Amino acid sequence: MRLTNYSDYALRSLIYLAVRPDPSLLANISDIADSYGISKSHLTKIIHQLGQLGYIESVRGKNGGIRLARAPKDINLGVLIKQIEPDFNLVECFAVPTSHKDSEKSAHQADLPVTFIEEEKNKSLGCVISPACQLKSVFFEALTAFVNVLERYTLADILNNEDELATLLFR
């Protein structure tokens, strides 16, 4: 499983905002981009979405900027990743097999952004063994376990070395 840079940068942005030495001061996108050496334009899209999702508060105006809109203990990593990752299609044919009701129930419960395909209609679009392949259910089980682990942690859980992170980010 590999998360997109989008998710990585979203997590890094939240970490940056959480470990700011003076949380009353607002940050800006340029500061975050410079601290991590990442693209400001790409980060702008991410910050915008994090704001729409209620993770970041934007303050407009001359002295405006951004800050966390929630306490780190209230930001669940698994929930965040499910909201911002475009999909979790590990392989081109990835979908819950339509014949496995338990897997479909798991997909609904996990609320994973998985593309469900109707294999009878799309046989020619993917692998020739897709209609009979059992590997998809194994991948789905692994993906569900991955997300379940992320859901056990909050942003606060990964900030136990806050001073060290702040030293690295705010030199």
Side-chain angles (χ1 to χ4, degrees), residues 9-131:
Y9 296 169
L11 290 167
R12 289 194 216 184
S13 297
L14 294 174
I15 290 169
Y16 180 95
L17 294 172
V19 300
R20 287 187 51 80
D22 184 354
S24 65
L25 296 177
L26 297 172
N28 64 53
I29 294 171
S30 294
D31 293 337
I32 298 170
D34 291 345
S35 289
Y36 289 116
I38 57 180
S39 164
K40 180 183 169 191
S41 61
H42 189 56
L43 193 57
T44 300
K45 296 176 209 167
I46 295 165
I47 297 297
H48 177 72
Q49 184 180 14
L50 290 172
Q52 288 181 318
L53 292 169
Y55 292 103
I56 290 177
E57 177 185 2
S58 296
V59 177
R60 298 192 186 279
K62 183 179 178 182
N63 296 318
I66 57 175
R67 65 178 157 232
L68 286 180
R70 301 179 190 178
K73 68 178 180 55
D74 297 327
I75 299 176
N76 183 283
L77 300 183
V79 171
L80 170 70
I81 294 299
K82 288 191 298 187
Q83 290 176 319
I84 62 175
E85 254 322 287
D87 66 55
F88 286 96
N89 297 340
L90 300 177
V91 290
E92 68 178 309
C93 65
F94 193 70
V96 175
T98 55
S99 61
H100 293 107
K101 296 293 181 195
D102 291 343
S103 294
E104 289 174 3
K105 185 178 176 188
S106 295
H108 178 69
Q109 289 173 344
D111 197 28
L112 295 173
V114 174
T115 302
F116 292 87
I117 59 172
E118 292 188 29
E119 299 179 80
E120 296 303 316
K121 295 178 184 175
N122 294 314
K123 283 183 185 175
S124 63
L125 296 179
C127 177
V128 297
I129 65 168
S130 183

